[in-house]
Amino acid sequence: MEVSGRILVTGATGSMGAAAVETLAEAGHPVLMACRNLAKAEAVRADILSRFPQADLVIRPLDLSSMASVRQFADGLEKGSVQALFNNAGTISKCYSITEDGFENTLSVNYFGPWLLTCLLLPILPADARIVNMVSLTCRYVSLDETALQPTEKQFSQLGTYARAKRALLSFSLELARRYPSLRVNLADPGIVASNMIDLGHWYDPLADRLFKPLCKTPKAGVQPALRALAAAEGNRYYVGKGSRAIPGRYLDPALDVRIWAATEALISV
Ligand SMILES: NC(=O)c1ccc[n+]([C@@H]2O[C@H](COP(=O)([O-])OP(=O)(O)OC[C@H]3O[C@@H](n4cnc5c(N)ncnc54)[C@H](OP(=O)(O)O)[C@@H]3O)[C@@H](O)[C@H]2O)c1
């Protein structure tokens, strides 16, 4: 992998986040772990250091459900301190809840937070920085428009809102690449991964759980597309499975991307 400098990984305490940090550390990359739970982050760091004592891992607090936290995080970073950004953190809220900024929580963590974080980091990132955004195969089952950014309680559904948040992140990625063509913005789709997020016990009865779980990837396997995207020479690719492809045609709608960007910008001022 030819990335040099500190790689910023959000959600570094999560199943795939921690697996990414470990792989990057093993390869000798300094990593900035952006995490909301610092005690958990320290435990992940200590665990990785026990295997890779040379690992250079710095932890900083970041709560993507708070735009104030995102701004504070970005304010603390100096130009050149981050070489690449992996927007990995995500959540699937079981119930409708509104953050201090007035956003639905799943949208805040999966979309508004990464949107603001990325925009605030642009001045400190290299012009050709690699940015990898973690999306999901659920994107293909939903459509996107401006109303999806602020669902009412009636419009909220656990998986539907999550899918639209990821679809919005995908739209943001494409428009970001158009506005900043020197950046290398790629999408990573891990498939279905047996992680903390997929709380199978809550979704399926024990029989379905037993049938489904063996089909899920391990976090280490699931994060491989993102790691390959973090090493990519070019942007604008969709990393999934063992390879990458052009962005699927179903997601190509530049006019929609412009509208979603404008609607987001109206809700968050950078
Ligand atoms: N698992 C799958 O099948 C699957 C499929 C497609 C896409 N993805 C995506 O892959 C990414 C990683 O997910 P995962 O499966 O590894 O899930 P995970 O184990 O639940 O990890 C999620 C990470 O996001 C962090 N996070 C949650 N809310 C946050 C907040 N408000 N502020 C900052 N960080 C927050 C979590 O922090 P805590 O440790 O503090 O909870 C954790 O580090 C997510 O973007 C997810 O949507 C997953």
Side-chain angles (χ1 to χ4, degrees):
M1 198 180 291
E2 51 175 270
V3 173
S4 62
R6 205 166 282 282
I7 300 173
L8 169 47
V9 179
T10 69
T13 50
S15 310
M16 283 189 268
V21 174
E22 175 152 348
T23 305
L24 292 169
E26 187 178 4
H29 296 289
V31 177
L32 177 54
M33 302 166 62
C35 306
R36 64 171 171 173
N37 181 335
L38 297 184
K40 202 169 166 185
E42 288 294 353
V44 169
R45 182 173 177 273
D47 180 51
I48 294 173
L49 282 171
S50 71
R51 284 185 294 284
F52 305 103
Q54 308 306 324
D56 178 357
L57 307 176
V58 169
I59 298 167
R60 291 267 176 88
L62 172 68
D63 182 350
L64 293 162
S65 68
S66 159
M67 298 307 116
S69 170
V70 174
R71 290 180 195 281
Q72 202 172 8
F73 176 86
D75 278 353
L77 297 175
E78 286 168 10
K79 192 168 175 64
S81 60
V82 177
Q83 297 296 316
L85 168 61
F86 177 22
N87 281 312
N88 162 73
T91 195
I92 305 181
S93 300
K94 289 192 168 65
C95 303
Y96 184 76
S97 69
I98 296 295
T99 67
E100 64 193 25
D101 304 286
F103 300 135
E104 186 285 320
N105 189 62
T106 298
L107 274 148
S108 184
V109 175
N110 292 284
Y111 176 61
F112 288 113
W115 192 100
L116 181 61
L117 177 66
T118 306
C119 290
L120 293 176
L121 292 189
L122 289 177
I124 72 151
L125 286 165
D128 63 348
R130 292 169 168 98
I131 297 177
V132 176
N133 290 336
M134 194 74 123
V135 294
S136 157
L137 56 78
T138 59
C139 291
R140 74 169 66 178
Y141 302 109
V142 291
S143 60
L144 182 66
D145 65 23
E146 293 90 325
T147 63
L149 300 181
Q150 291 201 293
T152 61
E153 186 161 8
K154 210 171 164 191
Q155 290 165 333
F156 172 86
S157 71
Q158 194 176 334
L159 263 183
T161 301
Y162 169 76
R164 279 184 281 275
K166 289 296 190 189
R167 178 67 186 82
L169 182 66
L170 197 159
S171 165
F172 167 60
S173 310
L174 302 187
E175 182 58 16
L176 181 70
R178 268 181 225 109
R179 291 184 185 218
Y180 300 91
S182 62
L183 289 173
R184 290 171 280 187
V185 184
N186 282 300
L187 296 158
D189 174 349
I192 301 175
V193 179
S195 74
N196 301 333
M197 178 178 283
I198 304 279
D199 190 350
L200 295 170
H202 281 75
W203 288 7
Y204 302 99
D205 62 38
L207 177 62
D209 197 353
R210 274 206 299 280
L211 292 173
F212 183 60
K213 214 168 183 175
L215 303 177
C216 293
K217 293 180 189 168
T218 62
K220 196 169 180 178
V223 83
Q224 292 308 311
L227 290 170
R228 283 187 285 105
L230 272 172
E234 304 293 331
N236 270 315
R237 303 281 296 173
Y238 192 95
Y239 283 77
V240 61
K242 289 187 167 23
S244 74
R245 60 173 78 139
I247 308 294
R250 70 176 77 89
Y251 300 132
L252 298 180
D253 186 346
L256 172 70
D257 299 338
V258 169
R259 283 183 7 239
I260 294 295
W261 184 296
T264 305
E265 211 166 25
L267 293 167
I268 310 176
S269 79
V270 180

